[in-house]
Amino acid sequence: MSLKHGLLGLLNYGSMTGYELSKTFNDSLGFFWQGKTSQIYRELTDMEKLGWLKSERVVQHDKPNKKLYTITEDGRNELSNWLIDGNSSINDALYVRSSFLMRVFFAGEVSSSQATSLIREFQKQCKLALSAFDTTSSIIDEYSKIVADKNKSKYWRIVAMFGEAYYKASLDWADKSLLLLEDEE
Amino acid sequence: MSLKHGLLGLLNYGSMTGYELSKTFNDSLGFFWQGKTSQIYRELTDMEKLGWLKSERVVQHDKPNKKLYTITEDGRNELSNWLIDGNSSINDALYVRSSFLMRVFFAGEVSSSQATSLIREFQKQCKLALSAFDTTSSIIDEYSKIVADKNKSKYWRIVAMFGEAYYKASLDWADKSLLLLEDEE
DNA sequence: TTAATCATGTAACACGTTACATGATTGC
DNA sequence: GCAATCATGTAACGTGTTACATGATTAA
């Protein structure tokens, strides 16, 4: 149950609407968790029923009315329990679900040119993903101004480091694999 | 829809029962995709309805009776279409869903000793996962004897390489992060 | 005038997990 | 005697995705 806890974590920084949450969620946690707006709205109503949040309707005249969510004491407790209690397993931490790797696994069934083009596409996307990290540091700087707690942005940087290392390792692998496959021809 | 295609891929090597599939699936594709037996049985009945497989009941006297699944021509077509047509996106290829990283992201909410112990646990599991690769090469050797097609085991090795690189990068990250956090105290 | 942004949702479906049920054989 | 392996599933629930609906404002 991590979408709920991700939302709790964000609401702990300050009250937000579903719409804002949805954007912030995918902007900041998007590397390791994503959620569609439809799901986020569903989870929010669910969380309000659980007493983790409360909402108030804010009437606007220039824009559609909105619903502002605020974390409750129960919500804060739930968040810190989830953070501490390590019912995180290998799965939680290390499990990569990748239909791309599944395709590679079975790539012996198609021509080797089709196999290499699959990996080349992956290689391209790794480079793209890596280039996005050029601006990450300054984005974190901006966010951390809002939250104004250096302790928090410290961990954001550490998570971003993981992302960068991951894409770098993926790119290295793609390069190496393509060399291996070309050598054998 | 990758579980179905993973099962198709395995059945393409030879007919198997649900039970055998379940084990083989998690043994060989388990690094990047997993499925519980209950789900696998459900998918198999579904796939038979789709005409991708047919099944025959095999009566046994020493053991419970079993149901042997065989891939059909339609199934083989479906498999190769899925392998070729790259409706694989960044998501498919690179998306890591990790509640562990989410915990790290919000680790500013708990004490720094709790944060470091979270990462230390991760570090331990990385080492464990890495050590499993000592035997991977020989396992692939054995499997490839059964399938007897060098072309196939080539890609298995490439996928295994990804796994090893991934855990290595994860471990490096954990080491570096712990140093960073200790320095700041 | 067309797309983007703001803002909230419902309904249906697809996929994944947990818990439970059954029952024989084999090795420690 | 107990756990593991063989073998197949159902039921209920939880989570994630797709498609659809509405409607105002603002910038290119």
Side-chain angles (χ1 to χ4, degrees), chain A residues 15 30 39 44 50 58 99-100 123 125 128 137 150 157 173:
Chain A
S15 300
Q39 195 191 357
L44 285 171
L50 287 166
V58 177
S99 65
F100 163 71
Q123 189 187 38
Q125 292 184 353
L128 223 106
S137 191
K150 293 254 161 69
R157 266 169 231 288
W173 168 84

Side-chain angles (χ1 to χ4, degrees), chain A residues 100 104 107 110-124 174 177-183 185, chain B residues 154-155 158:
Chain A
F100 163 71
V104 175
V110 296
S111 74
S112 68
S113 71
Q114 283 171 326
T116 48
S117 86
L118 184 69
I119 299 178
R120 255 192 226 105
E121 177 59 28
F122 177 77
Q123 189 187 38
K124 215 171 78 187
S177 303
L178 286 168
L179 282 174
L180 258 170
L181 292 169
E182 277 155 23
D183 277 358
E185 247 124 78
Chain B
K154 189 168 74 182
Y155 290 102
I158 286 176

Side-chain angles (χ1 to χ4, degrees), chain A residues 14-26:
Chain A
S15 300
M16 274 188 261
T17 67
Y19 188 75
E20 287 167 329
L21 274 167
S22 170
K23 297 190 81 187
T24 314
F25 193 94
N26 290 310

Side-chain angles (χ1 to χ4, degrees), chain B residues 65-87:
Chain B
N65 294 342
K66 60 186 186 181
K67 220 165 143 186
L68 197 67
Y69 287 97
T70 306
I71 193 168
T72 62
E73 205 46 42
D74 278 8
R76 246 180 272 272
N77 288 334
E78 176 61 34
L79 176 63
S80 63
N81 285 338
W82 175 80
L83 281 169
I84 296 164
D85 118 45
N87 66 352

Side-chain angles (χ1 to χ4, degrees), chain B residues 2 24 37 46 50 59 65 67 69 78-79 85 92 96 98 119 123 125-126 132 137 150 153-154 156 165 176 181 185:
Chain B
S2 288
T24 314
T37 47
D46 216 54
L50 288 166
V59 180
N65 294 342
K67 220 165 143 186
Y69 287 97
E78 176 61 34
L79 176 63
D85 118 45
D92 257 23
V96 190
S98 168
I119 299 177
Q123 189 187 38
Q125 293 183 353
C126 287
S137 191
K150 292 255 160 70
S153 59
K154 189 168 74 182
W156 296 352
K176 226 194 281 179
L181 291 170
E185 248 123 78

Side-chain angles (χ1 to χ4, degrees), chain B residues 51-70:
Chain B
W52 298 355
L53 317 171
K54 56 187 166 60
S55 67
E56 52 176 323
R57 188 153 284 279
V58 177
V59 180
Q60 296 185 123
H61 298 293
D62 46 340
K63 289 171 189 173
N65 294 342
K66 60 186 186 181
K67 220 165 143 186
L68 197 67
Y69 287 97
T70 306

Side-chain angles (χ1 to χ4, degrees), chain A residues 73-120:
Chain A
E73 206 44 44
D74 278 7
R76 246 181 271 274
N77 288 335
E78 176 61 33
L79 176 63
S80 63
N81 286 338
W82 175 80
L83 281 170
I84 295 164
D85 117 46
N87 66 352
S88 58
S89 60
I90 285 193
N91 265 353
D92 257 21
L94 293 170
Y95 180 28
V96 190
R97 190 178 281 254
S98 168
S99 65
F100 163 71
L101 288 174
M102 193 142 103
R103 275 173 228 259
V104 175
F105 187 87
F106 291 118
E109 303 306 311
V110 296
S111 74
S112 68
S113 71
Q114 283 171 326
T116 48
S117 86
L118 184 69
I119 299 178
R120 255 192 226 105

